[in-house]
Amino acid sequence: MDAQGRGRVEDIDPADQWVLNPETGEYELRLAPSAPQSRVPGQRGAGGTGRASRRRGAPASASTSAPAPEREVPPPRRRRTAPEEPPPGRRGRRRPAKKPKGKKILLWTGGTMALVVLAAGTAGYLYLQHLNDNIESLPDDGAGTGGFQKDQAINILLIGTDKRTGSGNEGYGDNGSAGHADTTILLHVSKDRSNATALSIPRDLIVDIPDCPTTQEDGSTKVIPGSTGVRFNQSLGQSGRTPSCTMRTVTELTGVRPDNFMVADFNAVKTLTSAVGGVEVCLAKDINDPDSHLNLPAGKHTIEGEDALAFVRTRHSVGFGGDLSRIEIQQQFLSSLMRKLKSNDTLTSPSKMVKLAEAGTKALTVDSTLDDIGKLKDLGLELGKLNTKNLSFVTVPVRDNPAEKVKATVVLQEEPARQVFDMIKEDVSFTEVKKKESEKEKKEKAAVAARLEGEKSDPSEVRVRVLNGGAPDGSAQRELLYLQNEAGVTKSENAGDADAEVARTTLEYAPDQADQARALAEILGLSGAAMKPGESVTNAQGLPTMTLTLGKDFKGAGVKLDAASAEAPEEARKSTADKVECAK
């Protein structure tokens, strides 16, 4: 542990606290009592308060937690060696039960600092109560959904702040800054846990920051006024903004409401990489960047601590020398770190897992709905179902700000960015996910796909009525005008509102209208699943017609409806966590 450790625990190697219980024959963790904790994220040292008082609005207390009086906590002991084999004919003590090799829990994150989160969550089961005292929390002020759910898609906002806190970080630039959202990644994990997307949001992206109700130190709430046309990184730290304001800004930008947030500072990269024994990176050229303090020749290197921090902070010596180039090198670093964390060398080593848990929870600040190591463990187990080849790193599509002569900020590339945001909202994978299907599932999938196969009518022969089943007001009329004036579907009519709202747009048709249905599906971008064989209805002229019901997924007149058929735009700069790449 570093100089900011608590009490005398820093003198003890956590790996030396596992002792053999002669009664059970298994190794157990014996911990000394935790010392006082700091309530200020990123400033944890002696003289702090207990965990309960670290939450904003809670009264401070000078007391520290102590072991129950009836259960004395033994002092730390050295690790014992395995007992010798008993002499022939004698029955010795039962050997410790052999633990199964570590669950293939995928420890991953999306941002340079936030990568510590899942290491902490996965390692948490080793000694939950001790780690609970390490965790700092802040209110989400209603900006989140209330916390992730095991049976739903997961969206976690990971924020790396550039606030210069902690030992050894004084030499990195703006020492007096309140910090910014320097590295921000929205981590989306699919509902079926088959894939995930880590969406990097450039810190220099011009956005609108909304008004942010924010909990103050005394427990009261203050609304911090929003800002229009400012850098995204100002959503944290500036004007008293907390991570909940960054959550609101992300929702405003992407349309995705995060479940939880997690924040970490510079120490996260340093302590975590040291805990795993270093991370391998690759450079395509020599780099000597005095700003980030990175000085490495071309080739492969195993880095940790200060070198690891310098690597993820460098930008002037890679790519085009800007923040977008730095995002790419961070994504390469994270991919390598994840492969190291997922390796047997890490997962089957109790000492490494203990060190990971210590490093992760000390560098971590979470929202108040995720302030328990048990919850972090549950999150880690959910993420452990992923495969690195199906974890995509994606960058929000942007372009240079046309309003600037000297290029310093970026703005959205509207159409590609909207496509990326829609894919995340619709839970669409950025990679091709191969799933094992039963024979029944294969037959059902084939039947659905077959609905799109066959002859298609001319658009002028397609007869359809349009209902609004949950889309914004006026959508049915706007879609009708598009069909008639631009798509050539002249035999269409507005039938008003549907009887009930629906989540997804559907097209119902009779068997003898299949050729018309296929033609309209091609125009609208409908999948086979959105096509519902059934019955036709009679229109005002007494003619049979199909029924198109616009659902909540409707994106606008003329916009393709089926996000599942979309592919990630080239502007998104996609990569996957299983690929080894060299920084250029």
Side-chain angles (χ1 to χ4, degrees):
M1 299 186 185
D2 59 26
Q4 298 186 50
R6 297 169 175 76
R8 298 299 301 167
V9 177
E10 68 269 19
D11 297 331
I12 305 167
D13 185 342
D16 290 334
Q17 294 174 265
W18 292 86
V19 297
L20 182 68
N21 185 332
E23 296 181 2
T24 64
E26 296 186 356
Y27 284 94
E28 297 179 355
L29 183 67
R30 302 293 176 85
L31 295 173
S34 296
Q37 311 294 309
S38 167
R39 71 182 301 275
V40 181
Q43 296 177 346
R44 304 172 182 181
T49 61
R51 179 168 178 258
S53 65
R54 290 198 306 272
R55 300 173 183 167
R56 291 196 172 180
S61 172
S63 63
T64 60
S65 59
E70 68 274 13
R71 183 177 178 182
E72 182 178 355
V73 179
R77 307 180 184 178
R78 292 186 177 277
R79 191 200 305 267
R80 297 185 180 179
T81 58
E84 298 179 357
E85 285 290 330
R90 290 185 59 187
R91 183 178 180 182
R93 285 177 179 163
R94 180 166 60 91
R95 289 188 178 185
K98 186 175 181 180
K99 301 288 184 182
K101 288 191 176 181
K103 294 180 180 179
K104 298 298 183 180
I105 298 173
L106 176 61
L107 307 170
W108 65 285
T109 110
T112 303
M113 310 304 174
L115 52 87
V116 300
V117 170
L118 301 180
T122 304
Y125 65 86
L126 296 176
Y127 54 126
L128 307 184
Q129 188 56 49
H130 172 69
L131 296 182
N132 268 334
D133 292 335
N134 287 347
I135 302 173
E136 299 284 349
S137 67
L138 291 170
D140 74 351
D141 299 313
T145 64
F148 78 94
Q149 301 294 323
K150 291 183 179 180
D151 59 348
Q152 299 295 326
I154 298 174
N155 293 295
I156 307 293
L157 186 63
L158 306 177
I159 309 169
T161 175
D162 60 354
K163 187 175 182 179
R164 275 64 171 168
T165 57
S167 176
N169 295 324
E170 301 83 1
Y172 295 109
D174 189 2
N175 293 329
S177 172
H180 304 78
D182 194 53
T183 298
T184 305
I185 296 185
L186 178 64
L187 298 177
H188 172 82
V189 186
S190 67
K191 182 177 180 179
D192 64 5
R193 308 297 186 252
S194 67
N195 65 89
T197 303
L199 179 67
S200 294
I201 302 174
R203 67 177 189 179
D204 296 326
L205 174 63
I206 296 299
V207 298
D208 293 338
I209 299 176
D211 293 345
C212 297
T214 305
T215 302
Q216 304 299 297
E217 290 286 348
D218 61 1
S220 64
T221 299
K222 174 183 178 182
V223 177
I224 299 176
S227 301
T228 302
V230 296
R231 281 181 167 90
F232 176 86
N233 67 353
Q234 293 186 28
S235 65
L236 177 68
Q238 311 307 298
S239 303
R241 295 183 177 116
T242 65
S244 67
C245 193
T246 307
M247 290 182 89
R248 296 185 193 278
T249 306
V250 168
T251 302
E252 186 91 359
L253 173 68
T254 66
V256 179
R257 188 180 182 187
D259 299 308
N260 301 95
F261 70 71
M262 303 176 182
V263 185
D265 60 18
F266 283 175
N267 285 325
V269 173
K270 295 193 292 186
T271 57
L272 186 59
T273 52
S274 295
V276 298
V279 173
E280 185 178 88
V281 297
C282 180
L283 298 176
K285 62 181 181 180
D286 297 347
I287 290 183
N288 186 359
D289 184 353
D291 291 326
S292 71
H293 307 167
L294 180 66
N295 187 357
L296 289 174
K300 293 182 178 180
H301 305 273
T302 298
I303 59 175
E304 62 178 280
E306 294 289 347
D307 286 339
L309 178 60
F311 184 86
V312 298
R313 292 188 68 248
T314 191
R315 58 180 174 136
H316 298 302
S317 300
V318 293
F320 295 103
D323 186 51
L324 295 180
S325 298
R326 188 181 67 155
I327 286 176
E328 291 183 359
I329 202 171
Q330 288 173 348
Q331 291 175 347
Q332 184 234 116
F333 173 84
L334 289 171
S335 296
S336 180
L337 176 59
M338 287 167 50
R339 292 191 294 273
K340 182 65 175 286
L341 290 170
K342 192 173 182 290
S343 68
N344 283 335
D345 179 55
T346 299
L347 290 176
T348 60
S349 170
S351 62
K352 284 187 178 180
M353 294 298 281
V354 169
K355 291 176 181 178
L356 280 170
E358 292 285 349
T361 53
K362 285 180 180 177
L364 175 67
T365 300
V366 301
D367 68 88
S368 54
T369 68
L370 197 61
D371 65 350
D372 180 84
I373 195 65
K375 296 177 183 177
L376 287 173
K377 179 207 67 174
D378 289 341
L379 177 59
L381 292 174
E382 290 300 306
L383 300 171
K385 300 171 184 177
L386 292 166
N387 189 312
T388 53
K389 69 179 181 180
N390 291 325
L391 168 59
S392 301
F393 288 99
V394 180
T395 304
V396 173
V398 295
R399 59 190 176 92
D400 288 335
N401 189 345
E404 296 175 336
K405 291 183 179 180
V406 178
K407 304 304 179 185
T409 62
V410 293
V411 296
L412 286 181
Q413 293 190 54
E414 292 292 344
E415 182 57 28
R418 182 200 59 77
Q419 186 176 347
V420 168
F421 300 154
D422 285 347
M423 289 178 71
I424 293 176
K425 285 189 289 185
E426 295 295 326
D427 201 19
V428 177
S429 177
F430 282 71
T431 61
E432 183 179 356
V433 180
K434 295 182 180 180
K435 303 177 184 178
K436 188 176 182 180
E437 298 176 329
S438 66
E439 288 300 320
K440 182 180 179 181
E441 290 173 330
K442 290 179 181 179
K443 290 180 180 179
E444 291 176 349
K445 186 176 181 180
V448 168
R451 297 172 188 170
L452 296 172
E453 299 174 359
E455 294 184 1
K456 301 180 182 69
S457 298
D458 187 271
S460 63
E461 299 300 319
V462 174
R463 186 178 287 109
V464 63
R465 64 176 190 150
V466 183
L467 295 173
N468 190 332
D473 292 342
S475 294
Q477 183 61 27
R478 287 190 289 271
E479 184 70 356
L480 177 67
L481 293 174
Y482 164 76
L483 290 173
Q484 291 181 341
N485 299 330
E486 298 185 44
V489 183
T490 54
K491 297 177 181 179
S492 51
E493 61 186 63
N494 184 349
D497 292 335
D499 293 335
E501 291 187 352
V502 294
R504 294 185 177 276
T505 298
T506 59
L507 175 63
E508 185 175 1
Y509 59 97
D512 60 354
Q513 296 172 315
D515 53 348
Q516 295 183 44
R518 286 189 286 268
L520 190 59
E522 184 177 56
I523 292 170
L524 300 178
L526 292 177
S527 68
M531 300 172 66
K532 305 296 182 183
E535 298 179 354
S536 63
V537 297
T538 302
N539 65 10
Q541 291 75 39
L543 299 173
T545 182
M546 301 184 295
T547 301
L548 174 67
T549 304
L550 304 180
K552 295 179 180 179
D553 62 339
F554 181 73
K555 301 177 179 66
V559 180
K560 298 291 185 180
L561 287 161
D562 183 30
S565 64
E567 294 183 358
E570 293 183 2
E571 296 87 344
R573 304 180 182 218
K574 182 175 74 73
S575 64
T576 53
D578 62 325
K579 301 292 177 62
V580 179
E581 299 180 2
C582 294
K584 299 179 181 179

